[in-house]
mmCIF file of all heavy atoms in Angstrom:
data_model
loop_
_atom_site.group_PDB
_atom_site.id
_atom_site.type_symbol
_atom_site.label_atom_id
_atom_site.label_comp_id
_atom_site.label_asym_id
_atom_site.label_seq_id
_atom_site.Cartn_x
_atom_site.Cartn_y
_atom_site.Cartn_z
ATOM 1 N N PRO D 26 79.452 35.509 338.584
ATOM 2 C CA PRO D 26 79.831 36.140 337.337
ATOM 3 C C PRO D 26 81.212 36.790 337.439
ATOM 4 O O PRO D 26 81.682 37.088 338.535
ATOM 5 C CB PRO D 26 78.760 37.215 337.154
ATOM 6 C CG PRO D 26 78.259 37.525 338.520
ATOM 7 C CD PRO D 26 78.384 36.211 339.286
ATOM 8 N N HIS D 27 81.834 36.973 336.287
ATOM 9 C CA HIS D 27 83.176 37.542 336.254
ATOM 10 C C HIS D 27 83.194 38.798 335.375
ATOM 11 O O HIS D 27 82.168 39.134 334.763
ATOM 12 C CB HIS D 27 84.167 36.482 335.760
ATOM 13 C CG HIS D 27 83.740 35.787 334.489
ATOM 14 N ND1 HIS D 27 83.830 36.388 333.220
ATOM 15 C CD2 HIS D 27 83.245 34.534 334.283
ATOM 16 C CE1 HIS D 27 83.400 35.557 332.325
ATOM 17 N NE2 HIS D 27 83.023 34.418 332.921
ATOM 18 N N ILE D 28 84.345 39.429 335.304
ATOM 19 C CA ILE D 28 84.376 40.687 334.576
ATOM 20 C C ILE D 28 84.169 40.492 333.070
ATOM 21 O O ILE D 28 83.755 41.430 332.375
ATOM 22 C CB ILE D 28 85.662 41.493 334.848
ATOM 23 C CG1 ILE D 28 86.888 40.702 334.474
ATOM 24 C CG2 ILE D 28 85.728 41.959 336.318
ATOM 25 C CD1 ILE D 28 88.172 41.503 334.556
ATOM 26 N N GLY D 29 84.395 39.263 332.571
ATOM 27 C CA GLY D 29 84.063 38.972 331.146
ATOM 28 C C GLY D 29 82.527 39.053 330.944
ATOM 29 O O GLY D 29 82.060 39.645 329.965
ATOM 30 N N ASN D 30 81.767 38.464 331.855
ATOM 31 C CA ASN D 30 80.314 38.549 331.783
ATOM 32 C C ASN D 30 79.872 39.988 331.852
ATOM 33 O O ASN D 30 78.948 40.415 331.125
ATOM 34 C CB ASN D 30 79.627 37.777 332.924
ATOM 35 C CG ASN D 30 79.965 36.325 332.973
ATOM 36 O OD1 ASN D 30 80.176 35.747 334.016
ATOM 37 N ND2 ASN D 30 79.976 35.659 331.826
ATOM 38 N N TYR D 31 80.532 40.722 332.740
ATOM 39 C CA TYR D 31 80.128 42.093 332.972
ATOM 40 C C TYR D 31 80.299 42.956 331.706
ATOM 41 O O TYR D 31 79.355 43.550 331.182
ATOM 42 C CB TYR D 31 80.915 42.720 334.120
ATOM 43 C CG TYR D 31 80.561 44.190 334.348
ATOM 44 C CD1 TYR D 31 79.377 44.542 334.948
ATOM 45 C CD2 TYR D 31 81.431 45.194 333.908
ATOM 46 C CE1 TYR D 31 79.019 45.860 335.121
ATOM 47 C CE2 TYR D 31 81.097 46.518 334.093
ATOM 48 C CZ TYR D 31 79.891 46.850 334.690
ATOM 49 O OH TYR D 31 79.564 48.184 334.848
ATOM 50 N N PHE D 32 81.534 42.966 331.180
ATOM 51 C CA PHE D 32 81.773 43.820 330.013
ATOM 52 C C PHE D 32 81.124 43.309 328.755
ATOM 53 O O PHE D 32 80.688 44.078 327.880
ATOM 54 C CB PHE D 32 83.284 44.041 329.803
ATOM 55 C CG PHE D 32 83.927 44.930 330.806
ATOM 56 C CD1 PHE D 32 84.712 44.404 331.817
ATOM 57 C CD2 PHE D 32 83.686 46.288 330.806
ATOM 58 C CE1 PHE D 32 85.266 45.230 332.819
ATOM 59 C CE2 PHE D 32 84.244 47.104 331.778
ATOM 60 C CZ PHE D 32 85.044 46.593 332.774
ATOM 61 N N GLY D 33 81.062 41.949 328.610
ATOM 62 C CA GLY D 33 80.463 41.358 327.421
ATOM 63 C C GLY D 33 78.960 41.519 327.342
ATOM 64 O O GLY D 33 78.405 41.734 326.257
ATOM 65 N N MET D 34 78.288 41.438 328.473
ATOM 66 C CA MET D 34 76.821 41.429 328.439
ATOM 67 C C MET D 34 76.108 42.237 329.504
ATOM 68 O O MET D 34 75.281 43.070 329.228
ATOM 69 C CB MET D 34 76.428 39.916 328.500
ATOM 70 C CG MET D 34 74.978 39.615 328.515
ATOM 71 S SD MET D 34 74.114 39.950 330.041
ATOM 72 C CE MET D 34 73.259 38.455 330.256
ATOM 73 N N MET D 35 76.492 42.071 330.788
ATOM 74 C CA MET D 35 75.678 42.673 331.874
ATOM 75 C C MET D 35 75.686 44.192 331.783
ATOM 76 O O MET D 35 74.610 44.818 331.940
ATOM 77 C CB MET D 35 76.227 42.234 333.239
ATOM 78 C CG MET D 35 76.222 40.712 333.435
ATOM 79 S SD MET D 35 77.137 40.191 334.926
ATOM 80 C CE MET D 35 75.937 40.545 336.209
ATOM 81 N N LYS D 36 76.823 44.782 331.524
ATOM 82 C CA LYS D 36 76.915 46.255 331.462
ATOM 83 C C LYS D 36 76.011 46.796 330.354
ATOM 84 O O LYS D 36 75.371 47.861 330.488
ATOM 85 C CB LYS D 36 78.341 46.658 331.259
ATOM 86 C CG LYS D 36 78.548 48.203 331.182
ATOM 87 C CD LYS D 36 80.021 48.543 331.161
ATOM 88 C CE LYS D 36 80.235 50.030 331.258
ATOM 89 N NZ LYS D 36 79.730 50.793 330.099
ATOM 90 N N GLN D 37 76.008 46.081 329.260
ATOM 91 C CA GLN D 37 75.147 46.563 328.138
ATOM 92 C C GLN D 37 73.656 46.557 328.525
ATOM 93 O O GLN D 37 72.915 47.452 328.120
ATOM 94 C CB GLN D 37 75.349 45.648 326.897
ATOM 95 C CG GLN D 37 76.730 45.659 326.369
ATOM 96 C CD GLN D 37 76.721 45.020 325.016
ATOM 97 O OE1 GLN D 37 76.085 45.516 324.116
ATOM 98 N NE2 GLN D 37 77.438 43.922 324.834
ATOM 99 N N MET D 38 73.261 45.561 329.270
ATOM 100 C CA MET D 38 71.850 45.519 329.716
ATOM 101 C C MET D 38 71.516 46.742 330.555
ATOM 102 O O MET D 38 70.421 47.272 330.482
ATOM 103 C CB MET D 38 71.512 44.229 330.473
ATOM 104 C CG MET D 38 71.471 42.983 329.655
ATOM 105 S SD MET D 38 70.412 42.975 328.218
ATOM 106 C CE MET D 38 68.768 42.834 328.876
ATOM 107 N N VAL D 39 72.471 47.136 331.383
ATOM 108 C CA VAL D 39 72.278 48.330 332.221
ATOM 109 C C VAL D 39 72.307 49.599 331.357
ATOM 110 O O VAL D 39 71.388 50.479 331.478
ATOM 111 C CB VAL D 39 73.356 48.435 333.318
ATOM 112 C CG1 VAL D 39 73.192 49.732 334.133
ATOM 113 C CG2 VAL D 39 73.285 47.236 334.241
ATOM 114 N N ASP D 40 73.315 49.710 330.487
ATOM 115 C CA ASP D 40 73.442 50.909 329.666
ATOM 116 C C ASP D 40 72.214 51.148 328.742
ATOM 117 O O ASP D 40 71.942 52.282 328.365
ATOM 118 C CB ASP D 40 74.697 50.838 328.797
ATOM 119 C CG ASP D 40 75.962 50.932 329.631
ATOM 120 O OD1 ASP D 40 75.838 51.303 330.843
ATOM 121 O OD2 ASP D 40 77.049 50.636 329.167
ATOM 122 N N MET D 41 71.534 50.082 328.377
ATOM 123 C CA MET D 41 70.469 50.214 327.407
ATOM 124 C C MET D 41 69.064 50.129 328.035
ATOM 125 O O MET D 41 68.070 50.105 327.304
ATOM 126 C CB MET D 41 70.595 49.164 326.289
ATOM 127 C CG MET D 41 71.876 49.387 325.480
ATOM 128 S SD MET D 41 71.892 48.428 323.975
ATOM 129 C CE MET D 41 72.614 46.928 324.481
ATOM 130 N N GLN D 42 68.996 50.101 329.357
ATOM 131 C CA GLN D 42 67.694 49.824 329.983
ATOM 132 C C GLN D 42 66.658 50.959 329.774
ATOM 133 O O GLN D 42 65.461 50.724 329.858
ATOM 134 C CB GLN D 42 67.849 49.527 331.455
ATOM 135 C CG GLN D 42 68.394 50.582 332.329
ATOM 136 C CD GLN D 42 68.551 50.137 333.805
ATOM 137 O OE1 GLN D 42 67.871 49.254 334.275
ATOM 138 N NE2 GLN D 42 69.483 50.777 334.505
ATOM 139 N N ASP D 43 67.133 52.184 329.510
ATOM 140 C CA ASP D 43 66.191 53.269 329.285
ATOM 141 C C ASP D 43 65.681 53.302 327.851
ATOM 142 O O ASP D 43 64.515 53.650 327.631
ATOM 143 C CB ASP D 43 66.878 54.618 329.590
ATOM 144 C CG ASP D 43 67.144 54.797 331.078
ATOM 145 O OD1 ASP D 43 66.205 54.520 331.858
ATOM 146 O OD2 ASP D 43 68.268 55.191 331.438
ATOM 147 N N GLU D 44 66.571 52.952 326.963
ATOM 148 C CA GLU D 44 66.255 53.100 325.534
ATOM 149 C C GLU D 44 65.338 51.964 325.005
ATOM 150 O O GLU D 44 64.607 52.162 324.054
ATOM 151 C CB GLU D 44 67.590 53.061 324.785
ATOM 152 C CG GLU D 44 67.586 53.583 323.397
ATOM 153 C CD GLU D 44 68.950 53.330 322.780
ATOM 154 O OE1 GLU D 44 69.972 53.323 323.533
ATOM 155 O OE2 GLU D 44 69.014 53.141 321.563
ATOM 156 N N TYR D 45 65.424 50.787 325.664
ATOM 157 C CA TYR D 45 64.693 49.616 325.178
ATOM 158 C C TYR D 45 63.673 49.136 326.207
ATOM 159 O O TYR D 45 63.798 49.393 327.377
ATOM 160 C CB TYR D 45 65.664 48.477 324.921
ATOM 161 C CG TYR D 45 66.565 48.663 323.739
ATOM 162 C CD1 TYR D 45 67.744 49.412 323.857
ATOM 163 C CD2 TYR D 45 66.236 48.081 322.525
ATOM 164 C CE1 TYR D 45 68.563 49.571 322.752
ATOM 165 C CE2 TYR D 45 67.059 48.250 321.413
ATOM 166 C CZ TYR D 45 68.233 48.970 321.535
ATOM 167 O OH TYR D 45 69.046 49.167 320.454
ATOM 168 N N GLU D 46 62.708 48.358 325.788
ATOM 169 C CA GLU D 46 61.891 47.572 326.660
ATOM 170 C C GLU D 46 62.744 46.310 326.962
ATOM 171 O O GLU D 46 62.984 45.511 326.077
ATOM 172 C CB GLU D 46 60.591 47.152 325.928
ATOM 173 C CG GLU D 46 59.768 46.112 326.586
ATOM 174 C CD GLU D 46 58.680 46.680 327.506
ATOM 175 O OE1 GLU D 46 58.171 47.764 327.159
ATOM 176 O OE2 GLU D 46 58.350 46.048 328.512
ATOM 177 N N SER D 47 63.202 46.176 328.222
ATOM 178 C CA SER D 47 64.280 45.233 328.484
ATOM 179 C C SER D 47 63.834 44.001 329.206
ATOM 180 O O SER D 47 63.077 44.058 330.177
ATOM 181 C CB SER D 47 65.375 45.915 329.272
ATOM 182 O OG SER D 47 65.961 46.947 328.540
ATOM 183 N N PHE D 48 64.428 42.871 328.815
ATOM 184 C CA PHE D 48 64.155 41.601 329.459
ATOM 185 C C PHE D 48 65.455 40.867 329.778
ATOM 186 O O PHE D 48 65.850 39.889 329.114
ATOM 187 C CB PHE D 48 63.330 40.727 328.465
ATOM 188 C CG PHE D 48 61.932 41.242 328.264
ATOM 189 C CD1 PHE D 48 61.667 42.173 327.310
ATOM 190 C CD2 PHE D 48 60.877 40.800 329.074
ATOM 191 C CE1 PHE D 48 60.385 42.685 327.106
ATOM 192 C CE2 PHE D 48 59.591 41.303 328.886
ATOM 193 C CZ PHE D 48 59.344 42.229 327.924
ATOM 194 N N PRO D 49 66.121 41.290 330.880
ATOM 195 C CA PRO D 49 67.253 40.508 331.337
ATOM 196 C C PRO D 49 66.709 39.279 332.056
ATOM 197 O O PRO D 49 65.741 39.413 332.808
ATOM 198 C CB PRO D 49 67.940 41.429 332.347
ATOM 199 C CG PRO D 49 66.938 42.445 332.734
ATOM 200 C CD PRO D 49 65.827 42.459 331.706
ATOM 201 N N PHE D 50 67.255 38.116 331.763
ATOM 202 C CA PHE D 50 66.635 36.936 332.425
ATOM 203 C C PHE D 50 67.677 35.901 332.811
ATOM 204 O O PHE D 50 68.839 35.964 332.448
ATOM 205 C CB PHE D 50 65.519 36.348 331.559
ATOM 206 C CG PHE D 50 66.062 35.487 330.425
ATOM 207 C CD1 PHE D 50 65.949 34.112 330.492
ATOM 208 C CD2 PHE D 50 66.579 36.069 329.315
ATOM 209 C CE1 PHE D 50 66.430 33.336 329.467
ATOM 210 C CE2 PHE D 50 67.055 35.289 328.253
ATOM 211 C CZ PHE D 50 66.976 33.903 328.341
ATOM 212 N N ILE D 51 67.205 34.913 333.624
ATOM 213 C CA ILE D 51 68.068 33.912 334.155
ATOM 214 C C ILE D 51 67.697 32.557 333.541
ATOM 215 O O ILE D 51 66.634 31.982 333.864
ATOM 216 C CB ILE D 51 67.900 33.837 335.700
ATOM 217 C CG1 ILE D 51 68.213 35.255 336.235
ATOM 218 C CG2 ILE D 51 68.787 32.798 336.307
ATOM 219 C CD1 ILE D 51 67.882 35.422 337.694
ATOM 220 N N PRO D 52 68.501 32.091 332.585
ATOM 221 C CA PRO D 52 68.157 30.848 331.908
ATOM 222 C C PRO D 52 68.467 29.631 332.772
ATOM 223 O O PRO D 52 69.447 28.920 332.538
ATOM 224 C CB PRO D 52 69.023 30.900 330.611
ATOM 225 C CG PRO D 52 70.024 31.969 330.788
ATOM 226 C CD PRO D 52 69.717 32.716 332.074
ATOM 227 N N ASP D 53 67.599 29.371 333.708
ATOM 228 C CA ASP D 53 67.841 28.261 334.659
ATOM 229 C C ASP D 53 67.773 26.874 333.967
ATOM 230 O O ASP D 53 68.544 26.007 334.329
ATOM 231 C CB ASP D 53 66.948 28.336 335.904
ATOM 232 C CG ASP D 53 65.509 28.707 335.611
ATOM 233 O OD1 ASP D 53 65.126 28.825 334.421
ATOM 234 O OD2 ASP D 53 64.716 28.856 336.563
ATOM 235 N N TYR D 54 66.875 26.746 332.972
ATOM 236 C CA TYR D 54 66.839 25.447 332.271
ATOM 237 C C TYR D 54 68.072 25.229 331.430
ATOM 238 O O TYR D 54 68.535 24.069 331.235
ATOM 239 C CB TYR D 54 65.560 25.319 331.444
ATOM 240 C CG TYR D 54 64.328 24.987 332.239
ATOM 241 C CD1 TYR D 54 63.081 25.479 331.907
ATOM 242 C CD2 TYR D 54 64.435 24.146 333.349
ATOM 243 C CE1 TYR D 54 61.928 25.140 332.637
ATOM 244 C CE2 TYR D 54 63.271 23.813 334.115
ATOM 245 C CZ TYR D 54 62.089 24.324 333.752
ATOM 246 O OH TYR D 54 60.944 23.993 334.475
#
Side-chain angles (χ1 to χ4, degrees):
H27 50 74
I28 59 173
N30 299 138
Y31 178 75
F32 288 105
M34 179 285 229
M35 299 170 81
K36 180 172 187 295
Q37 298 194 61
M38 289 307 283
V39 175
D40 291 346
M41 295 194 271
Q42 63 183 334
D43 290 313
E44 197 186 331
Y45 289 82
E46 167 95 33
S47 296
F48 293 86
F50 78 104
I51 302 170
D53 43 3
Y54 281 146

